[in-house]
Amino acid sequence: MSEKKVIVSNVEREHENPIAELVQVACQFDSEITLESEEKRINAKSIMGIMAFNPSKGMSVNIVADGQDEREALIAMERFLVCQA
């Protein structure tokens, strides 16, 4: 299991449809990916979960990935949330 805490950048400005795009990034990996913030803990591959989680600018998010490609998944999720190319 790997995890990393990040501060969400302005995903609404950087991505056309950030919720759907974030789920697409997560679904590229076999690992289980969870996003955690305060009392919320959701499956990053669930569009309904991401909608309820609503990652927004300045939010502190802990990304947890568990599986064979967990490192790659963690990097991809971090890049999306902090708006790195």
Side-chain angles (χ1 to χ4, degrees), residues 51-62:
M51 287 172 70
F53 192 74
N54 191 28
S56 53
K57 184 177 181 181
M59 184 178 192
S60 177
V61 174
N62 192 41

Side-chain angles (χ1 to χ4, degrees), residues 35-82:
L35 300 180
E36 304 171 339
S37 181
E38 297 174 10
E39 299 294 315
K40 298 178 186 175
R41 185 171 196 260
I42 59 99
N43 176 352
K45 297 180 183 182
S46 164
I47 193 137
M48 296 303 284
I50 295 291
M51 287 172 70
F53 192 74
N54 191 28
S56 53
K57 184 177 181 181
M59 184 178 192
S60 177
V61 174
N62 192 41
I63 307 165
V64 181
D66 189 17
Q68 283 186 315
D69 55 1
E70 65 189 40
R71 293 180 145 237
E72 295 86 356
L74 199 66
I75 291 166
M77 295 298 288
E78 177 185 10
R79 285 184 175 165
F80 185 93
L81 290 170
V82 300

